[in-house]
Amino acid sequence: MKKLLNTLYITQPDVYLSLDGDNIVLLKDKEKLGRLPLHNLESIVAFGYTGASPALMGYCADSNIALMFLTINGRFLARVTGVSRGNVVLRKKQYKVSEDETLSAKIARNFIVGKIYNHKWILERMTRDYPLRINVDQFKATSQHLSSLILEVRKCEQLDRLRGLEGQAAISYNKLFNQMILQQNEDFYFHLRSRRPPLDNVNAMLSFAYTLLANDTASALEAVGLDAYVGFLHRDRPGRISLALDVMEELRGVVADKFVLSLINKKIVNNDDFLQKESGAVIMTDEARKKFLTAWQNKKQEKITHPYLGEKIPWGLVPHVQALLLARHLRNDLDEYPPFLWK
């Protein structure tokens, strides 16, 4: 068990979660592992859980405490939610836009503009900071290619075409990802994205980071009254937080990718932090997840000047600001959704 700021992470497997008064109690084989007041928690994330009592789930739902369950290697399983307290007018507008693919594309393309723009500037930063460690010509050529794709995305009004352009950009960016791994190259390498399951150390960390980012983004969307499960780019699928996946597109590179690269390049993680199963799947050890989560929460407290607001905020508030901006656009307070553009 580890409490970080307002989030409780339960990383030990086979732990049962129960309620006692206003406290969460952690049990393993009927032995009490810990007890913590719930009144100052915003979310609880359990990895490889045995179960949770209905009383605890009801308390969390009533108290607006996000209760999320993940597999031991970080794959999202479920999220407990209570009665919707969102603005019904806002949600009705969200559903109406989602049903219209042309209107959806006009919002979705800004998510993709943000994603490609941020990937472009990750590459540009590498050419500035590590010109002797990477193929600068290759990075510059890819950066120019991403710029041309941004222009096409800005004019795109079809979701299928938009997905195709996003796919082209992702392929170009991923081809250079391995060069951005500057340390521990024998143990950490990236050849292609493998998700279910991750097949190497880097993919194991990327999947974990994307899961955490998706959960943070879903909570931010629900907090402003939006439905995290109804998206514009990602279409409806039972159990999928489609809108959270939409909004986090522009944050994948600058939040998750850069974070994973920093853990490798600063040697915060090493090959001993990973286990390979008989199936070929690679997972992080319990101790590695604790290191990862501690660094993740520390990163969320670092300050950045938000490119649209012009104000300094912690990185952890970026999904919340983007959720608020999206809600304002849907309410017609903003003519266009402003993506998060990092440079």
Side-chain angles (χ1 to χ4, degrees):
M1 179 180 72
K2 193 172 188 67
K3 180 178 178 295
L4 297 171
L5 303 175
N6 297 107
T7 300
L8 174 65
Y9 292 99
I10 300 154
T11 59
Q12 289 179 271
D14 304 324
V15 171
Y16 184 80
L17 314 179
S18 65
L19 181 71
D20 182 11
D22 293 326
N23 303 287
I24 181 174
V25 178
L26 280 64
L27 301 170
K28 185 170 184 178
D29 298 328
K30 297 183 179 181
E31 179 185 351
K32 186 183 294 185
L33 298 181
R35 175 189 178 96
L36 197 71
L38 285 160
H39 62 83
N40 62 346
L41 290 179
E42 292 181 359
S43 57
I44 301 167
V45 181
F47 296 87
Y49 77 109
T50 296
S53 71
L56 175 65
M57 290 190 283
Y59 185 103
C60 289
D62 289 341
S63 305
N64 201 27
I65 299 172
L67 176 57
M68 288 164 280
F69 301 108
L70 313 179
T71 66
I72 200 68
N73 60 344
R75 183 172 62 83
F76 178 80
L77 289 174
R79 183 168 179 266
V80 175
T81 58
V83 175
S84 174
R85 298 179 176 84
N87 184 322
V88 64
V89 176
L90 174 63
R91 291 201 178 205
K92 287 177 72 174
K93 178 65 178 294
Q94 177 188 356
Y95 301 148
K96 182 178 179 180
V97 172
S98 180
E99 290 295 318
D100 188 317
E101 290 206 1
T102 300
L103 293 177
S104 292
K106 289 181 179 179
I107 297 177
R109 66 190 181 191
N110 281 15
F111 300 142
I112 302 306
V113 165
K115 179 179 184 177
I116 299 175
Y117 180 94
N118 292 336
H119 282 178
K120 167 187 167 63
W121 281 101
I122 289 173
L123 302 183
E124 289 288 347
R125 283 280 189 99
M126 289 297 296
T127 64
R128 184 195 70 184
D129 296 340
Y130 304 102
L132 301 180
R133 305 286 299 276
I134 62 170
N135 186 327
V136 172
D137 291 340
Q138 193 177 8
F139 272 63
K140 287 292 186 182
T142 301
S143 176
Q144 291 178 5
H145 176 58
L146 295 182
S147 293
S148 67
L149 288 175
I150 289 173
L151 296 178
E152 292 189 58
V153 169
R154 285 292 297 147
K155 299 180 291 184
C156 184
E157 296 186 355
Q158 296 178 331
L159 285 176
D160 285 342
R161 171 65 176 155
L162 191 58
R163 294 187 188 102
L165 293 170
E166 186 276 334
Q168 291 180 45
I171 290 171
S172 297
Y173 168 79
N174 285 340
K175 284 181 178 178
L176 300 181
F177 196 90
N178 196 56
Q179 289 193 53
M180 292 189 277
I181 301 173
L182 305 176
Q183 301 289 339
Q184 308 185 83
N185 300 96
E186 290 185 4
D187 299 319
F188 294 91
Y189 46 82
F190 181 89
H191 300 312
L192 54 85
R193 183 78 178 102
S194 57
R195 297 172 175 82
R196 299 182 184 90
L199 299 176
D200 56 60
N201 297 348
V202 175
N203 273 292
M205 287 195 291
L206 288 174
S207 292
F208 195 22
Y210 293 154
T211 298
L212 294 174
L213 181 58
N215 289 335
D216 288 347
T217 306
S219 296
L221 291 165
E222 296 285 349
V224 300
L226 290 166
D227 188 335
Y229 290 84
V230 178
F232 304 122
L233 178 67
H234 294 82
R235 308 310 286 171
D236 296 346
R237 182 186 297 174
R240 182 168 73 176
I241 45 177
S242 296
L243 187 60
L245 297 178
D246 284 356
V247 174
M248 70 174 274
E249 286 290 356
E250 60 204 74
L251 304 178
R252 283 179 183 268
V254 291
V255 175
D257 294 0
K258 281 176 59 61
F259 175 75
V260 167
L261 287 168
S262 72
L263 293 185
I264 299 168
N265 291 334
K266 293 179 181 179
K267 299 184 178 180
I268 296 172
V269 295
N270 57 59
N271 195 47
D272 293 336
D273 290 319
F274 299 85
L275 300 172
Q276 186 170 36
K277 294 184 157 184
E278 291 182 4
S279 64
V282 175
I283 63 172
M284 285 187 283
T285 65
D286 184 54
E287 193 60 37
R289 281 192 297 275
K290 291 178 182 178
K291 287 195 292 186
F292 192 106
L293 292 168
T294 299
W296 179 263
Q297 291 297 110
N298 289 339
K299 174 64 179 178
K300 286 165 65 173
Q301 293 307 301
E302 294 178 10
K303 295 291 184 70
I304 182 175
T305 300
H306 191 279
Y308 182 79
L309 300 181
E311 298 179 12
K312 280 200 169 186
I313 62 170
W315 269 106
L317 285 184
V318 171
H320 294 266
V321 172
Q322 295 309 119
L324 182 60
L325 293 173
L326 179 58
R328 288 181 177 176
H329 169 61
L330 291 171
R331 290 191 181 103
N332 296 319
D333 294 334
L334 293 173
D335 292 336
E336 194 172 3
Y337 167 73
F340 181 81
L341 302 177
W342 174 86
K343 190 173 181 179

